[in-house]
Every structure is written in C-alpha cells, then in structure tokens.
C-alpha cells in the first residue's frame, strides 16, 4: 500500500482531484440523467471515433494508448446507463471492454520493452545480461507491433468505424428522450 501511495500515479491523482475541487467543478450531474447523459456520451464517442479514423499501421504506440484511454472514458460513462438503455448500451460496453483488453495488452508489451531497454542502458550489468535484455525487449516490441496490426484488422475496430453498436445505442437514447 505504501508503494502505491508513494507512486507518481497517486500523486497525479491527488493533484488532479485537488485542482478539480479548487475550480469548483462538481462531479455530480447538473440535471436528470436522461438530459445530461446523451451530451456527455456523444462528446466522448466523438473523441473515440476521431482516434479510430486516424489510426494506421504507421501510428505510434502512443496513439493506440490514447484510443484506449478515450475508450475507457466512454465505457465508464456508458456503464451506469446500461439499466436505462438496455442491450444497446450493454453492447457498446462489451465492445469497449474488448478494445481495452486488446490495447491494454499492447501497452503492457510497449512498457515492458521500454523498461528492459532502460535497464540494459543503465550500464551496470554484464554484457551477456544486456544482450538478453535487448533480445527480450525486441521480442516484446515485435509482439506489440503484431498486436497493433491485428487490432487494425479486428472486428472491434470495424465496429467502432462503422458505428453499428453506436447507432443502435444512439437510437435507444433518442427513444428515451435524449
């Protein structure tokens, strides 16, 4: 627990939350959920869709990670709405979970490769260890590149591009008055 509380991630969380409190923004919706949710969800979906449209084989790993983060924000906005909008919301959440899983595996490999490269470059290890760290980092980098290429051809990315789950969800929102 102490390790987590001492981490940079926790420090960023505290700073972000403190800033939110100082600015006076409320995390509580300002109106009924059926009025507030559609705009929030639409804005987040537009960000996901924009990232999806720009991804190519030449996109850096950071672009895939950005899509994962935006997809996560959209998913978190959708999860509480599943009881209101039913199956269309559930389908969007399931799609976003799959996207997060795939892109999370990619990010894990990217971070592992970078960590191994940094360890090898520290200069405190015998040449044989540096060689093996480099070989492992190269393998992780290749695996990550293969995952990204596979993701670009995936059912999940096609669904986000064509928007069928989104169109179904949008119709459910409109039917409910959003």
């Amino acid at each position: 627990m102490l390790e987590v509380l001492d981490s940079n991630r926790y420090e960023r969380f505290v700073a972000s939350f403190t800033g939110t409190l100082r600015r006076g923004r409320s995390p509580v919706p300002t109106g009924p959920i059926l009025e507030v949710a559609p705009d929030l969800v639409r804005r987040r979906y537009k960000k996901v869709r924009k990232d999806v449209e720009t991804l190519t084989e030449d996109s850096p790993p950071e672009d895939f990670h950005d899509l994962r983060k935006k997809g996560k924000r959209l998913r978190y906005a959708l999860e509480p709405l599943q009881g209101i909008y039913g199956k269309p919301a559930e389908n969007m959440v399931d799609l976003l979970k799959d996207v997060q899983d795939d892109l999370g595996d990619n990010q894990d490999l990217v971070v592992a490769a970078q960590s191994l490269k940094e360890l090898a470059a520290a200069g405190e290890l015998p040449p044989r260890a540096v060689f093996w760290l480099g070989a492992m980092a190269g393998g992780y980098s290749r695996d990550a590149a293969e995952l990204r290429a596979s993701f670009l051809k995936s059912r999940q990315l096609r669904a986000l591009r064509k928007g069928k789950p989104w169109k179904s969800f949008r119709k459910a929102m409109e039917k409910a008055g959003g």
Side-chain angles (χ1 to χ4, degrees), residues 6-174:
D6 287 336
S7 71
N8 289 335
R9 183 177 183 185
Y10 184 73
E11 188 177 317
R12 286 190 310 269
F13 165 74
V14 170
S16 173
F17 189 68
T18 302
T20 298
L21 293 176
R22 283 191 183 124
R23 287 186 300 275
R25 281 196 199 150
S26 170
V28 179
T30 57
I33 194 163
L34 289 175
E35 291 176 18
V36 176
D39 286 336
L40 172 73
V41 171
R42 281 186 190 105
R43 282 193 315 268
R44 292 189 178 175
Y45 177 73
K46 284 180 184 178
K47 290 178 182 181
V48 166
R49 185 72 188 260
K50 181 181 174 186
D51 277 10
V52 162
E53 294 301 328
T54 61
L55 280 182
T56 67
E57 288 184 25
D58 297 327
S59 297
E62 295 80 18
D63 290 356
F64 289 84
H65 187 55
D66 286 345
L67 172 59
R68 180 176 184 253
K69 291 188 292 188
K70 288 174 185 167
K72 191 183 288 191
R73 289 182 192 115
L74 174 58
R75 174 184 155 202
Y76 292 163
L78 288 168
E79 282 182 332
L81 302 175
Q82 293 176 95
I84 297 169
Y85 298 118
K87 193 69 172 167
E90 292 170 20
N91 290 342
M92 279 296 296
V93 167
D94 289 343
L95 171 61
L96 292 165
K97 281 181 183 178
D98 289 344
V99 168
Q100 277 180 254
D101 288 345
D102 290 348
L103 296 179
D105 291 344
N106 169 67
Q107 184 63 15
D108 290 346
L109 289 166
V110 168
V111 169
Q114 185 60 37
S115 296
L116 291 173
K117 289 175 187 175
E118 289 171 7
L119 184 60
E124 300 171 10
L125 297 171
R128 184 179 231 171
V130 171
F131 172 81
W132 284 111
L133 288 173
M136 290 171 56
Y140 287 157
S141 294
R142 280 188 301 280
D143 291 348
E146 288 173 11
L147 273 174
R148 290 190 301 274
S150 175
F151 178 74
L152 289 171
K153 298 173 188 169
S154 71
R155 168 192 67 81
Q156 293 89 347
L157 190 66
R158 277 194 309 277
L160 284 174
R161 277 198 173 127
K162 291 186 178 183
K164 287 183 182 180
W166 170 253
K167 289 174 186 172
S168 176
F169 176 73
R170 191 181 67 218
K171 285 180 187 175
M173 280 195 307
E174 289 167 359

